[in-house]
Structure formats: structure tokens, C-alpha cells
Amino acid sequence: MSDHDVDDIAFLTGSPNESGFMVNKRAMYEPGAVMVCSQKRACCVVTLGFIAIITIALIVAFTKPGCPEATYTGEPFPGQSNHPTVSPPSTPPTATNGEEFPWADVRLPFHVRPLHYDISLHPNLTTRHVQGEMTIKLTTIEETTAIIIHGHELNVSQYSLKNKYGKPIEIIKFLIYPRHQQLYLGLDEILRRGSNYTLKMSFETTLKEELDGFYLSSYINGDGEKRYIATTHFEPTSARSAFPCFDEPHLKAKFHLSIYRDSQHFTLFNMPQQTTVPVEGSDLFLDEFQESVEMSTYLVAFIVCDYDLVYNFTEHNVKVSVYAPPNMINQANYSLRIASHILDYYDKFFGVAYPLPKQDLIAIPDFGAGAMENWGLITYRETALMFDKNNTSSRSQQRVAVAIAHELAHQWFGNLVTMSWWSDLWLNEGFASFMENIGAAVAEPGWAMEEQFIVEKMHPALSLDALLASHPISTPVTDPAQIESIFDTISYKKGASIISMLESFIGRNMLQEGLRLYLDSHRYGNAATDDLWEALTTVTKKHGKELDIKGIMDTWTLQAGFPLISVSLQDGHVTASQARFLVCEENVTDPNEPLNTTLGYRWHVPLTYITSGNPHNQTMHWMNLTDVDFDVARDTKWIKVNVGQRGFYRVSYDMAGWEALNNVLQTNIDTLSPADRASLIDDVFTLVNPFCTTIQNWAGTVSATVALDLSLYLKKETKYIPWHTALGHLFKWVRLIFNYPAHTLMLDYIHTLVRPHYETIGWNDTGTHLERLLRSEVLWAAVQCGNSHAIQEAQQRFSSWRTNNDSIPPNLRSVVYSTGVRYGTEEDWRHCWQVYNSSSIPSEKGLMLKAMAQTRDPWLMQQYLEYTLDATKIRPQDVMTVLKQVSKNPGGRLSAWRMVRQHWSQISQLFGHGSFTMGAIIKAVTSPFTSSFDLGEVEAFFKDVDVGPGERALAQALETIRLHIQWHEHNLDSLTSWLHQHLSHSQTVKGSGDSA
Ligand code: BES
Ligand code: ZN
């Protein structure tokens, strides 16, 4: 993503060296005055509840001593066959009543599994109280005398068990183990294998304050009144905080829901409503829904709201509806149109018809993720669903299309066929991320979505995966914090990238046939990575292709990182060698240290290339865990490896190789496709980092001057993909040297590249989708380079918008608002604050959030940062955007870091202590740091802070700062002298630089 975007969807981030961690998952929501049930009171209720339960449990325990208990046999759980099971804790787990909790594993035992849940809920949106009753039909897989089920912050008041004839089975022990969020029901008789039972439970809980579980959200309606809605977000492990359940993805069951509501609201569930009846003696209604299909708990969703809707029907008569607050419903038509279009397409593409009678898409005002694929009831952030053609930019429109295509792809990949365990999360998220470009391309054929794949997925994934603190795609996880921490760039973007690479060597048709087989064989069930490889192997074999798909793909899913392919061409002879690429400190790899993989950090690499003699037809050689060499025509002048950057690897050439390619770019740009041009830029700018490989410690073999020489061709570049890539890298360098004299030189240099293009691209918001995306980035680049014309134009548009309410074309708004604030007054900033507060257009609010971070007034900046601590000012879902944008502003970087340090415990409380969102915050505020002093400060601060699941993010942040320091040591001098030389040269030759 360019410097210029508001990344309100966490995974759509993508500037170099930034991971797209999910953020704000545990953000707190502050209710208005009428709603407040004080924390103290809530605590009392919960504590009293616990005391009651403990008392009951103690009475039960002491009246029936010596009950048999379930024991863990040590057999693997589904999805864990390849991984060691967790070792039990050294001290026995202790239940809330002080007794030993008889089950030590964070995973549930497999003795019983659920078949059917019947849930009845009565949420009170004023008191936040939720009363629940449920009946679960179970079946016994192995004999057992206990049932262990998930439950988190639920006050269970009654429970009973019956066999299939209705005979009660006494529950002699009821224990709660909050650490593993488990409940234990000890029985006085053995449950027989293969028999069915009915478990009933009554419970109470509250509508949560976090953006997880069953929680409260609100919006301001057209009359300025606050309206409350209750909604859910369960993935990965929060269903258990809404009702007791077997909260693991392989424990699928059918769900039936009834929910009480008042007359101002209506309710939604995964399935259509069946009946609604008034409740006698009250002004409530009871809504009952059709029974669901077999599904995992994390996909269950229900909502109480007072929204409006628009709807239509797909070719297969599925009712598609988009729900939004009434004052936003006029922004719902675009989503509706493309959702039904994409649903129709996926029906055909996957060869399995969408199985539910309806598909709802709904905008939620407070939403931690970007969107969530609940089966039949997809929830979205407002910015990921609402579109207004007069107000919303192409970038935000694309975000809407992509979010819809992504979540709809999950209806098959994830919902119909679910990963057996979270270690294979990439099967869900990698595939949905791969499919989102295909789905969006179908809805918007003019957008070159498939061409955009490399900048949206490959580049960010390669960037993160070059850190030592990366991890393999398939990675063992057990507890909720670990599970949440893998919703990251590796699962999403590296996952999508390796599928794209697979597609590049088996073809779309074969991939599609394999996916159909996989979906068909595992429908309503679960699967692991190997099941996918098996389906693809069957299909490729059938077509006479002998490919060891599993063997090839294991090298990409089981090892962290990726190879650097070093290529040299001499007299028609090419050698290509592979070694893991790490941007890391010199001498960090110890050749004597055992490798962290049995595959030895070697890969099956589909090496593709084009040459000067054959620039339009690619050739492929497999590097099967090895290096290769081959011959091309003797007079070959250049070779470009990794055609279209379809392979998940980087390529380094020798000096002659870079020069020859540079020559092609300077003399005949169209010889190489935009994707190839972008891939050269991305590789060369990355290789300028001091890097090493598993073969040798090999620092900075490519000098900064090689990258800069190559960048000169940009004067002739007109396409979005290479420009987007280049601007990302060039401005990253600007940020790295912001307090060195070379800073101004670098901006001047970028200006020489951008200016010709700035002059032709102009200020009319016209052209193709990619041209509009490009215009927005080029205008902003010009402003950042101090182009006086651009600044004046933006300022003038800003002031006529402020004073006369003159409308600004959607794709110019970002640059106009940001420039207006950057060069504006306090009143300008306050005007944006007022628009942020009053606008009913989510995309506009997003632009304001970003623009306000551009201020150069330290006091306004400080105030803005402090607003993030007040949920009534900045919604917690947006805190991350503010911190990140302020950190990117040279004048704000230190304030953001200071703020986070100073209010660490408050922020950490806001997001839930130890939540890995804190890891994302650490990355955001430390990413601009470049000196040893900064590093020392960050290390010193975190020495005594427990970041819990944010540990990997902290490691990545520290590694990144070290890299920046080394980048300076290696490149600052050569960069500075290159810039001096080049700028004086171009000034004498052509006259350059705008003096603004
Ligand atoms: N399944 C995820 C939502 C999610 C994310 C649940 C993190 C739990 C933790 C959903 O399919 C998703 O990937 N959403 C993306 C947006 C999408 C358009 C890429 C997100 O939330 O960023
Ligand atoms: Zn997803």
C-alpha cells in the first residue's frame, strides 16, 4: 500500500517492511451514559456468579466423592498429527474452587462431539445483561465419564444431562478453569461409545466491551440520536464467551437459534428467520431461525439492530442483502451488485452451489477486523462495505470489492471446508486472499486486479518473510493468543502468493479442477494442507502431469523464508543458485548452528526466464532443492528471471546482469511487462539492504547506486504497478534519512522522476482505474517533494472546499485534505475534526483520520494522539490508524512513541492485556526508528514489559530497527554522493528541481 493510504483494513497494508497484522481485535468500546453498567457492578455480578458456582460445585463434589474422570490418552488431535502435542503444565491446573481441574490440555478431548446446538438468548441492550439457555445434542466417540466444554466469562447457573431416552444422568462435579476457558462436567456413570445425549445449560453473561464475542456497538442516526446494536465476532476463539460450546473448528454441528428482542429492533442469524412471536406479558418478541447446516462455532453470528436493507437475488435464487444504518443505506448498492455477481461466479468456479438460502452483508460501526465471513451473515467495517460514487475514491472502492470477494470466497474456503486446526489457518486466509483478486476481477474487469496481485500480496509477503523473526506458513499453535497471532501477512499474503506460484506451473484450469475436487471431497467437513495437495495431485496425474505437488509445496509451507536466486550469464551460459534470503545483520548466521528445518532451507523453485533473444516466451527450469545451470543463445544480452514475479523468490544478478537490464529499461521500456519492471525495482531496492543468505554472510552485495541507477528509468514509466512499487521504496528511503542532509537531496531526486509525470497526469480525476490510483499517488508524491504547483493547487482546492463547500473529485480528496492540513492552520485541522465527527460517509471519515495526522503543529499532534485514549473521540477500531499515520509524519514519530510508552498500561488495558494488538502497535510506532539510540530506548523499555503474544512482533520490530541502522552504515555515503553527483549533473544538463 502506498504511503498515501488509510489502511483501515489491517491486511491490506503493504509498504515495504510492514507486516499487515490484524489490529484492534481487543479494542474496548465505551458505552454512552445510559448504558453504563459500572465495571465495579459488573465485577460484583461476575464474582457472585462465581461464588455461587463454586459453592454448587463444592457441594456436588463433596456429596459424590471418587468419581471417575476423563483422561487424555495422548493421541493426536485432528490437525495435530504432524506436530508434537503440548506438554502438560508442570503444576496441575487448578479450577476456580481450588480443586484440581482434571484436564490439562488447552485442546478439548475427543471423547464427545456435538451434533446440534439449540440456543436461546435474551440480550438487553440497555443493561448489557444476556440470559441464555441451550441444549446441545452430543455423541460419544470414546467411553467417558466427563464432558469438557469451552466457556469463557459465562455464569452457568444450571446444567443437566440426559440420555437419548430422556433419563437423567447425574452431573456430580462442575469445575471451571478460566486459564483454558474450559468447563468440566463430571458424571456418575459412563457415557457409552456411539450413544447420543442431551446437555442443557442456563447461563448469564454481559454484552462485551471488547470487539469480540457478543458485543455492543452504536451509531448516531440521521437525527443525531445514538442507536445501539448487539453483534458478534467469534473467530478464532470467542464463541465460547457467548455460549458454552465445543469451540474448535473441527467440531462442527448444526445450530438453531431463538432470540428475544424489543419492537425497535430486528435480529439476524446465519440462517433466515422462521417465525417471530410476541412474548406474552411483555413488549418483547421472540424470533426463531431456521436450523443451520453443519458448521464450526467460529462462523456463528447473530445481530440485534435497527438497520435498513437493500437486496436482490442471485441466479440460483439466493437472497443477497446489504444492511446498513438508515443514513448510510444509500451507500449499499454497489456492494449489493458486486456481491451477487461474485456469488454467481463462485458458484460456477468452485463447482459447488452456495448452500444457504440467503447471504447477508452488514456494516458494523465498531469492528476490530476488516470483515468476517460468518456463514450467511458477513460482517464488515463500514469502510469495507459502503461506497458512494460521488465521494469514495477508487482505492477505497477497490477495498470494498476485495473485502467482498475475500469473504465470499471463505463461504467455500473456510466455511464449507474448514481447516482441521488453526495451524493450517493459511488454508482459509491464504486461499481467500488468493481468490479475492480473482473475484474482484470478475466484478470489475477493468481494474487489472490480477496484475495488482504482486504489489498487494507478493511484495509485502517477501518483505516480512526476509526477517529472521518470520515463521513458516504451517506453524503449530495451541492457545488462543498464539492462534490469533497467526492472522498475519504470512498466512494471508505468503499463503496467497504460493498458491499463485502453484497456479503458474499447473495452470488455472488444473488448479480449479483440483480445488473443486478438494471442496467436493471435504464438504461440511475439515481438511489439512496435505488434503489439498492430494486433490491437486489426483488432478494433475489425471492430466498426465507427473508432479510431486506435496514435495514441492512442503518446501514453501514448512520452512520460513524464501530463496534468493543468484543468477549470472556468461557467453550464453547461465548459472542460478539458491540460498535462503535474510535481511539481517552481518555475521548473524552461524554456519555451525543446526538448521531450523529438515529441508535445509532449499526449495523446489520454478525458475522462469525470458531473454533478449526471446523476450515474449518464458522458459522454465525446476530447481529441485538444487542449483541449476543451462544454456541460452550465445549472443544473449540479458536475462530476466522470475517472469511476472509469479514465483515467491527474489533474484540477484551480477553487475553486468543489472546493467544489461537497466539498459533495457532505459532504451526500450516495453520489452518488459509492468510486472517485470515492478519486480526488478522491488528486488533491487531490497537487495540494497545488508543481507545474508544461508550460504554465506554476504552484506549488501548490491550497492545503493545500482538501485538508484535503475530508478532513473522511472522518468519514462507511466504504469501504476511499477510506480507504486518504486514510490514505496523511494519514500521509505526518505524516511530512513529524514534527519540527514541527504534527505532534501533524496526528495529533490524523487522530484526529478515524478515531475514529468506530475505534469502530464494533471488534476482531472479521469482515466482507467489504474490511472486514477496512479494519479492519487503521483500527486501526493509531488506534494511530498515540495512541488510548489502541487501544493498550491491542493491548498486552493482545500480552502474552497472549506469555505464554499466546493466538492473535490473523490480521487483527489486524499491529497487535498492531507496537504490542506499539512500546510494549514489550526482552524483547518478543526474543520477536519468536525467533518470526521459529523460525516455519514465512512470513506470520508477515513480520509480525515489520515489527513489530521499530517499536521505540523506539535500541539495539535499531541492532542490528536491523546484523543486515541478516549473512546468517545476516536473509536478504538481506529486507534491503530492514528498511531501509524502519526508515526509516519516526521514531526510525529517521537510523540507517538512517547505516547505509547507513557500510557502503555492504559493502552494495553484498552486492547486487553497481553493482546497481540499491542505487538502491532509496537511495530507501528517503532518502524521509523533508525539509530542505535532509538534501538537502546526500545530495548530498554520492553526489557521489563510483558508483551505476551506480541513477542514475535516485538522481535520483528527490533530486527527492523537494527536493519535500518545497518542500512545507514552501508548506504548513506554512496547514496549521498550519488545524489550529489546526479543532481548537479541533471541541473547542468537540463535544469531541474522545483524550489518550493
Ligand atoms: N477471517 C478474517 C477475519 C479475522 C481476522 C478473524 C483476524 C479473526 C482474526 C476475514 O476473512 C479477513 O481476513 N478479513 C480481513 C479483510 C479482508 C478483506 C482481507 C481483515 O479483517 O483484515
Ligand atoms: Zn479472511
Side-chain angles (χ1 to χ4, degrees):
M1 172 174 288
S2 80
D3 191 22
H4 198 32
D5 291 307
V6 181
D7 41 358
D8 56 357
I9 299 182
F11 293 106
L12 299 180
T13 58
S15 54
N17 260 337
E18 267 174 30
S19 82
F21 279 109
M22 171 48 47
V23 294
N24 301 342
K25 283 297 313 312
R26 305 213 176 274
M28 296 272 284
Y29 173 73
E30 187 93 346
V34 274
M35 306 297 303
V36 178
C37 151
S38 82
Q39 232 179 349
K40 253 193 202 155
R41 224 185 100 197
C43 277
C44 283
V45 172
V46 172
T47 318
L48 285 176
F50 275 129
I51 292 172
I53 292 163
I54 290 166
T55 318
I56 295 169
L58 282 175
I59 294 167
V60 172
F62 284 108
T63 47
K64 279 264 180 185
C67 59
E69 289 164 353
T71 41
Y72 176 40
T73 60
E75 285 194 27
F77 296 103
Q80 284 209 321
S81 48
N82 293 332
H83 304 303
T85 49
V86 244
S87 48
S90 44
T91 49
T94 310
T96 45
N97 64 353
E99 267 191 65
E100 183 175 333
F101 192 82
W103 185 252
D105 208 302
V106 71
R107 297 282 308 264
L108 296 179
F110 53 84
H111 303 84
V112 291
R113 61 169 301 146
L115 299 172
H116 187 275
Y117 292 81
D118 195 344
I119 308 167
S120 159
L121 292 172
H122 181 184
N124 184 322
L125 275 63
T126 309
T127 62
R128 293 191 107 115
H129 179 261
V130 183
Q131 175 69 47
E133 254 102 58
M134 61 184 305
T135 308
I136 313 179
K137 208 186 273 168
L138 310 165
T139 190
T140 319
I141 309 293
E142 290 290 338
E143 279 188 358
T144 182
T145 52
I147 294 169
I148 294 150
I149 183 169
H150 283 117
H152 182 50
E153 293 175 354
L154 299 172
N155 182 358
V156 178
S157 51
Q158 285 176 26
Y159 40 84
S160 67
L161 184 70
K162 288 185 178 158
N163 71 12
K164 62 181 167 196
Y165 306 109
K167 179 184 157 273
I169 294 167
E170 204 175 338
I171 298 171
I172 50 175
K173 192 176 278 205
F174 180 85
L175 299 174
I176 304 164
Y177 185 43
R179 189 164 162 223
H180 286 171
Q181 307 173 345
Q182 289 168 351
L183 311 173
Y184 174 93
L185 298 110
L187 314 172
D188 79 341
E189 62 182 86
I190 297 172
L191 303 187
R192 298 279 159 224
R193 189 181 174 149
S195 301
N196 291 356
Y197 299 88
T198 309
L199 173 66
K200 277 190 187 219
M201 287 182 149
S202 303
F203 58 95
E204 285 171 60
T205 183
T206 46
L207 289 171
K208 300 283 178 284
E209 297 190 345
E210 301 86 0
L211 307 183
D212 255 343
F214 192 18
Y215 69 95
L216 201 65
S217 174
S218 69
Y219 69 94
I220 306 292
N221 73 6
D223 301 327
E225 291 160 358
K226 196 165 190 173
R227 291 275 183 247
Y228 289 92
I229 74 165
T231 183
T232 56
H233 180 100
F234 291 161
E235 193 183 15
T237 57
S238 292
R240 64 190 71 171
S241 70
F243 53 90
C245 56
F246 297 83
D247 200 8
E248 296 192 357
H250 65 106
L251 296 172
K252 292 191 174 187
K254 292 184 176 173
F255 292 83
H256 177 264
L257 178 80
S258 342
I259 192 159
Y260 291 89
R261 59 159 177 101
D262 57 33
S263 58
Q264 292 102 62
H265 290 106
F266 65 91
T267 58
L268 294 168
F269 174 57
N270 304 78
M271 296 297 287
Q273 188 177 303
Q274 200 164 27
T275 59
T276 178
V277 288
V279 179
E280 237 177 87
S282 78
D283 46 9
L284 297 177
F285 291 81
L286 179 61
D287 294 344
E288 200 180 325
F289 298 88
Q290 289 175 25
E291 178 181 90
S292 79
V293 294
E294 296 261 332
M295 59 189 270
S296 307
T297 45
Y298 78 90
L299 292 168
V300 172
F302 35 85
I303 294 172
V304 184
C305 70
D306 60 353
Y307 280 5
D308 276 352
L309 81 153
V310 288
Y311 66 92
N312 64 17
F313 289 89
T314 67
E315 287 167 12
H316 288 121
N317 223 22
V318 175
K319 183 176 180 188
V320 180
S321 312
V322 179
Y323 289 88
N327 58 341
M328 286 184 191
I329 197 68
N330 57 348
Q331 300 172 61
N333 293 310
Y334 175 71
S335 310
L336 178 65
R337 181 167 61 76
I338 67 159
S340 25
H341 187 159
I342 296 173
L343 208 52
D344 279 332
Y345 175 77
Y346 284 164
D347 264 356
K348 292 175 206 131
F349 186 90
F350 293 126
V352 183
Y354 175 76
L356 309 187
K358 61 103 175 177
Q359 176 68 75
D360 297 333
L361 297 84
I362 181 164
I364 306 293
D366 299 275
F367 198 73
M372 174 64 212
E373 69 265 25
N374 317 298
W375 211 345
L377 178 52
I378 308 177
T379 42
Y380 291 84
R381 241 177 215 234
E382 290 174 349
T383 42
L385 192 64
M386 300 287 99
F387 168 77
D388 179 332
K389 82 172 179 347
N390 298 321
N391 291 293
T392 309
S393 68
S394 302
R395 161 70 59 203
S396 302
Q397 185 181 12
Q398 179 171 313
R399 197 167 288 154
V400 169
V402 162
I404 290 175
H406 178 105
E407 305 309 336
L408 288 177
H410 274 313
Q411 307 301 304
W412 285 261
F413 262 97
N415 301 10
L416 186 65
V417 180
T418 314
M419 75 258 133
S420 299
W421 179 244
W422 298 106
S423 308
D424 274 330
L425 174 71
W426 84 279
L427 279 179
N428 270 15
E429 298 303 348
F431 256 91
S433 303
F434 171 75
M435 286 306 299
E436 74 192 26
N437 283 54
I438 297 177
V442 164
E444 296 288 359
W447 285 5
M449 284 311 301
E450 304 209 22
E451 223 182 305
Q452 291 192 55
F453 186 89
I454 63 163
V455 294
E456 295 293 331
K457 307 291 173 341
M458 281 271 182
H459 293 176
L462 286 166
S463 170
L464 182 69
D465 206 23
L467 295 180
L468 263 177
S470 183
H471 67 88
I473 284 185
S474 286
T475 197
V477 285
T478 45
D479 67 60
Q482 284 173 345
I483 294 167
E484 195 150 326
S485 78
I486 55 165
F487 284 81
D488 68 359
T489 299
I490 297 300
S491 303
Y492 278 70
K493 300 191 179 195
K494 183 176 181 184
S497 299
I498 66 159
I499 297 302
S500 165
M501 174 166 68
L502 171 70
E503 184 194 35
S504 76
F505 60 81
I506 65 170
R508 171 77 47 98
N509 290 343
M510 207 94 84
L511 178 69
Q512 185 183 357
E513 205 179 321
L515 298 183
R516 285 175 169 203
L517 179 62
Y518 166 85
L519 290 169
D520 193 48
S521 336
H522 303 283
R523 55 166 78 187
Y524 301 109
N526 296 80
T529 301
D530 281 351
D531 296 315
L532 178 66
W533 303 151
E534 194 183 310
L536 286 158
T537 306
T538 308
V539 166
T540 40
K541 261 214 180 98
K542 191 179 115 195
H543 289 276
K545 252 192 169 188
E546 282 297 328
L547 271 176
D548 175 12
I549 304 251
K550 175 176 157 52
I552 295 168
M553 296 311 285
D554 274 356
T555 65
W556 300 95
T557 56
L558 302 180
Q559 308 186 98
F562 58 87
L564 172 71
I565 309 296
S566 303
V567 175
S568 75
L569 161 70
Q570 216 156 32
D571 301 327
H573 189 69
V574 179
T575 60
S577 61
Q578 62 160 303
R580 181 182 180 186
F581 175 75
L582 284 165
V583 276
C584 65
E585 291 168 278
E586 283 171 77
N587 303 323
V588 79
T589 47
D590 176 356
N592 300 319
E593 207 179 281
L595 289 175
N596 199 9
T597 165
T598 48
L599 293 159
Y601 290 118
R602 316 272 298 166
W603 286 262
H604 288 281
V605 182
L607 186 90
T608 53
Y609 63 88
I610 47 175
T611 61
S612 51
N614 203 354
H616 302 301
N617 295 317
Q618 71 173 51
T619 312
M620 192 182 100
H621 292 298
W622 275 106
M623 296 173 78
N624 288 322
L625 309 171
T626 55
D627 303 338
V628 287
D629 59 319
F630 51 89
D631 289 324
V632 291
R634 251 193 101 78
D635 59 350
T636 300
K637 291 195 189 62
W638 54 263
I639 178 166
K640 159 76 180 59
V641 172
N642 200 6
V643 182
Q645 210 175 12
R646 294 297 302 269
F648 195 72
Y649 54 93
R650 290 203 183 279
V651 186
S652 182
Y653 303 89
D654 54 19
M655 275 311 286
W658 284 116
E659 266 167 35
L661 286 165
N662 194 2
N663 192 37
V664 180
L665 291 175
Q666 310 286 353
T667 54
N668 196 355
I669 187 171
D670 289 323
T671 315
L672 298 176
S673 69
D676 279 328
R677 306 200 295 262
S679 87
L680 285 174
I681 295 165
D682 197 48
D683 281 348
V684 79
F685 272 83
T686 306
L687 293 169
V688 164
N689 284 300
F691 66 85
C692 62
T693 69
T694 36
I695 301 287
Q696 57 193 125
N697 291 323
W698 196 13
T701 47
V702 177
S703 152
T705 59
V706 178
L708 289 164
D709 283 341
L710 193 115
S711 71
L712 282 164
Y713 102 92
L714 288 163
K715 286 180 187 170
K716 294 186 202 144
E717 184 57 81
T718 56
K719 296 285 193 253
Y720 168 75
I721 307 286
W723 261 120
H724 177 84
T725 309
L727 290 174
H729 284 289
L730 290 166
F731 279 103
K732 189 185 163 204
W733 285 19
V734 170
R735 288 194 293 274
L736 284 174
I737 56 173
F738 91 105
N739 50 356
Y740 289 84
H743 181 248
T744 333
L745 297 178
M746 187 68 193
L747 286 174
D748 286 348
Y749 171 60
I750 300 176
H751 194 202
T752 66
L753 303 176
V754 166
R755 196 166 67 163
H757 209 53
Y758 168 75
E759 277 156 12
T760 49
I761 207 161
W763 285 81
N764 285 330
D765 188 9
T766 53
T768 63
H769 181 73
L770 288 190
E771 280 161 5
R772 288 168 197 247
L773 293 184
L774 177 59
R775 177 174 297 105
S776 172
E777 295 194 9
V778 166
L779 298 186
W780 180 234
V783 168
Q784 286 179 294
C785 294
N787 180 301
S788 54
H789 180 271
I791 294 169
Q792 274 164 19
E793 179 75 29
Q795 279 183 302
Q796 185 262 317
R797 285 174 187 255
F798 184 85
S799 91
S800 64
W801 166 72
R802 241 206 81 179
T803 46
N804 311 328
N805 209 13
D806 283 351
S807 162
I808 305 163
N811 288 298
L812 306 185
R813 285 189 188 188
S814 179
V815 65
V816 168
Y817 297 153
S818 295
T819 313
V821 171
R822 184 190 270 209
Y823 294 98
T825 60
E826 180 169 345
E827 284 65 46
D828 291 328
W829 194 94
R830 298 225 170 273
H831 184 76
C832 290
W833 177 248
Q834 186 264 324
V835 173
Y836 171 71
N837 281 296
S838 58
S839 175
S840 59
I841 300 163
S843 56
E844 196 74 351
K845 280 172 172 282
L847 291 181
M848 290 305 146
L849 274 183
K850 153 100 195 289
M852 286 185 286
Q854 302 301 319
T855 181
R856 296 188 297 178
D857 178 333
W859 147 242
L860 283 175
M861 183 91 78
Q862 189 54 31
Q863 192 184 52
Y864 193 34
L865 283 172
E866 277 166 21
Y867 284 178
T868 62
L869 300 171
D870 181 348
T872 62
K873 292 209 158 56
I874 305 273
R875 287 187 192 257
Q877 65 168 9
D878 296 325
V879 165
M880 196 52 208
T881 304
V882 176
L883 290 177
K884 198 166 181 169
Q885 293 298 335
V886 171
S887 304
K888 277 185 168 180
N889 179 341
R893 54 175 71 194
L894 290 179
S895 325
W897 164 236
R898 276 182 58 159
M899 224 277 303
V900 167
R901 255 190 331 175
Q902 192 180 345
H903 299 283
W904 178 264
S905 56
Q906 192 181 344
I907 301 175
S908 133
Q909 221 169 20
L910 187 77
F911 289 101
H913 176 70
S915 146
F916 100 105
T917 297
M918 295 311 285
I921 290 182
I922 298 170
K923 285 180 106 170
V925 297
T926 62
S927 66
F929 289 163
T930 56
S931 73
S932 312
F933 180 80
D934 298 331
L935 177 66
E937 262 200 2
V938 178
E939 279 175 336
F941 179 71
F942 287 110
K943 205 159 62 90
D944 302 319
V945 173
D946 173 17
V947 291
E951 215 173 297
R952 187 184 288 135
L954 176 60
Q956 291 171 348
L958 292 171
E959 196 178 342
T960 304
I961 305 173
R962 285 194 199 102
L963 260 172
H964 290 168
I965 298 169
Q966 288 174 44
W967 184 94
H968 275 177
E969 285 166 8
H970 283 269
N971 297 319
L972 198 59
D973 290 347
S974 53
L975 169 72
T976 313
S977 60
W978 189 95
L979 289 171
H980 270 303
Q981 247 176 26
H982 181 79
L983 288 170
S984 60
H985 174 74
S986 63
Q987 235 136 33
T988 43
V989 175
K990 293 189 208 121
S992 135
D994 193 304
S995 54

